[in-house]
């Protein structure tokens, strides 16, 4: 299928596609079959923009401003929450995502707030083919990176991020606390990221190679995402091996935390 045909097909798909045994769907490309238009339309109910803005406060803005970063590439823009927020705060943002439906939704959400977002569809594994110039900072948020199921894809995506950054660029990448999920079972205070009322986000299945999350909505609909449950220290090592000189990891936006407590880890990786 040509790129344009594939994009159009993605924009009109309404049912998520899994094989007969969904627990066997562990490929990096699978995200394209998960973010179907009906799920994309529901995403903002799931994340609740106002609640999310309150939860994370000025965290990302402060980190970027403290280091004088202005030109930001949001490589997993989704429906545009961070792209819109950072644009409103005066950053020069490009919103990118591998899903055509997500990019279209981000643009629409920007327009609804009086913004014309710069958008592009780009898969991380071929990022530099589809973007122009170098960036001060890249953000990859909302547990997005854990859509990569194979180590070679994780290394490749990080190499692309590294190459798209200026010599002193910064990468901010977050992930669920899978260590706690694998070692102790799942629990969440439901406070960060997925804040929508009456919506549940919980794992259907967790093993060392798969975390299948289920999102259930008040209208009875439910959608799933098959993610790869990468551990915190493994992710830190990958960042270092990709060439980032300093990697600082926060737990739920705090510098100090007990390992099991946070729902999310946020890695801030500096090139120099
Ligand atoms: N950052 C947004 C948020 O926090 O609301 C979206 C998070 S959503 C869990 C993950 C996003 O990553 C989706 O929009 C998906 O299309 C994108 N994604 C997953 N794998 C990708 C890849 N290989 N290249 C580019 N985008 C990808």
């Amino acid at each position: 299928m040509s790129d344009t045909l594939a994009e159009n097909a993605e924009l009109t798909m309404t049912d998520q596609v899994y094989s007969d045994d969904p627990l066997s769907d562990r490929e990096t490309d699978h995200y394209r079959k998960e973010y179907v238009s009906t799920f994309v339309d529901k995403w903002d109910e799931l994340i609740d923009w106002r609640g999310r803005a309150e939860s994370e406060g000025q965290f990302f803005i402060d980190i970027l401003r403290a280091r004088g970063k202005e030109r930001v590439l949001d490589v997993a823009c989704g429906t545009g929450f961070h792209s819109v927020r950072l644009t409103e705060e005066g950053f020069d943002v490009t919103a990118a995502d591998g899903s055509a439906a997500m990019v279209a939704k981000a643009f629409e959400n920007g327009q609804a707030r009086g913004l014309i977002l710069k958008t592009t569809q780009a898969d991380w594994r071929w990022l530099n083919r589809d973007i122009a110039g170098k960036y001060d900072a890249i953000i990859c948020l909302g547990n997005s990176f854990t859509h990569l199921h194979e180590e070679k894809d994780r290394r490749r995506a990080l190499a692309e991020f590294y190459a798209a950054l200026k010599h002193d660029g910064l990468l901010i990448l977050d992930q669920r606390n899978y260590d706690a999920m694998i070692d102790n079972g799942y629990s969440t205070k439901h406070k960060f990221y997925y804040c929508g009322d009456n919506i549940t986000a919980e794992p259907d299945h967790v093993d060392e190679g798969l975390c299948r999350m289920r999102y259930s909505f008040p209208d009875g609909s439910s959608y799933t995402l098959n993610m790869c449950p990468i551990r915190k220290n493994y992710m830190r090592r990958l960042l270092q091996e990709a060439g980032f000189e300093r990697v600082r990891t926060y737990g739920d936006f705090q510098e100090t935390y007990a390992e099991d407590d946070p729902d999310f880890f946020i890695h801030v990786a500096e090139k120099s």
Side-chain angles (χ1 to χ4, degrees):
M1 213 182 328
S2 75
D3 280 359
T4 318
L5 280 178
E7 257 172 54
N8 289 341
E10 273 172 53
L11 282 168
T12 53
M13 268 166 59
T14 53
D15 293 323
Q16 293 188 301
V17 181
Y18 290 99
S19 53
D20 290 344
D21 173 14
L23 300 187
S24 68
D25 291 325
R26 300 174 184 219
E27 304 87 39
T28 294
D29 278 324
H30 196 253
Y31 78 97
R32 293 173 170 277
K33 298 178 184 163
E34 294 179 310
Y35 290 103
V36 294
S37 58
T38 44
F39 186 29
V40 168
D41 285 340
K42 290 234 163 261
W43 192 258
D44 290 331
E45 269 179 58
L46 176 65
I47 64 174
D48 175 3
W49 283 36
R50 189 176 303 162
R52 189 173 186 181
E54 275 167 23
S55 291
E56 63 179 49
Q58 294 285 111
F59 182 82
F60 299 112
I61 293 161
D62 287 349
I63 287 181
L64 292 166
R65 286 224 177 102
R67 291 162 179 80
K69 305 303 180 202
E70 284 169 12
R71 191 160 190 255
V72 179
L73 178 64
D74 181 358
V75 287
C77 70
T79 55
F81 173 77
H82 286 105
S83 290
V84 165
R85 184 126 198 259
L86 293 178
T87 302
E88 286 173 341
E89 289 288 333
F91 293 92
D92 171 12
V93 181
T94 299
D97 198 286
S99 152
M102 281 298 198
V103 173
K105 192 61 161 184
F107 188 79
E108 210 180 278
N109 277 334
Q111 262 187 326
R113 288 160 179 81
L115 304 173
I116 301 294
L117 286 184
K118 280 184 268 182
T119 55
T120 184
Q121 186 188 3
D123 189 289
W124 308 323
R125 291 164 291 171
W126 302 276
L127 183 69
N128 290 277
R129 188 188 67 183
D130 297 315
I131 57 153
K134 303 270 184 198
Y135 290 82
D136 292 323
I138 290 180
I139 57 172
C140 182
L141 300 175
N143 198 35
S144 301
F145 194 77
T146 73
H147 271 293
L148 298 172
H149 283 274
E150 288 149 62
E151 180 167 306
K152 70 169 175 20
D153 292 326
R154 291 191 273 273
R155 289 191 186 278
R156 185 167 176 172
L158 289 179
E160 290 285 321
F161 296 169
Y162 191 89
L165 286 168
K166 292 180 187 165
H167 71 96
D168 57 351
L170 182 77
L171 169 65
I172 310 179
L173 185 155
D174 71 4
Q175 62 169 106
R176 278 187 187 278
N177 183 352
Y178 290 115
D179 296 63
M181 283 170 82
I182 293 169
D183 297 338
N184 313 328
Y186 183 66
S187 86
T188 178
K189 300 168 278 316
H190 226 3
K191 211 164 111 203
F192 300 98
Y193 293 105
Y194 302 119
C195 316
D197 282 340
N198 304 319
I199 294 166
T200 55
E202 54 198 2
D204 260 2
H205 172 94
V206 183
D207 64 42
E208 284 278 350
L210 182 72
C211 172
R212 181 169 163 83
M213 293 293 294
R214 178 169 297 278
Y215 306 95
S216 308
F217 295 87
D219 64 2
S221 60
S222 93
Y223 296 87
T224 45
L225 290 177
N226 280 12
M227 315 295 275
C228 184
I230 50 179
R231 287 180 178 272
K232 179 187 87 169
N233 286 335
Y234 165 76
M235 187 65 231
R236 286 175 53 82
R237 179 163 61 77
L238 283 186
L239 286 162
Q240 278 150 359
E241 288 175 4
F244 289 95
E245 252 179 38
R246 259 186 312 283
V247 181
R248 184 171 299 175
T249 300
Y250 298 80
D252 288 343
F253 312 117
Q254 306 299 317
E255 212 157 342
T256 49
Y257 52 87
E259 287 297 321
D260 288 347
D261 273 357
D263 280 343
F264 270 75
F265 293 122
I266 301 129
H267 307 285
V268 178
E270 295 179 81
K271 237 172 132 167
S272 63

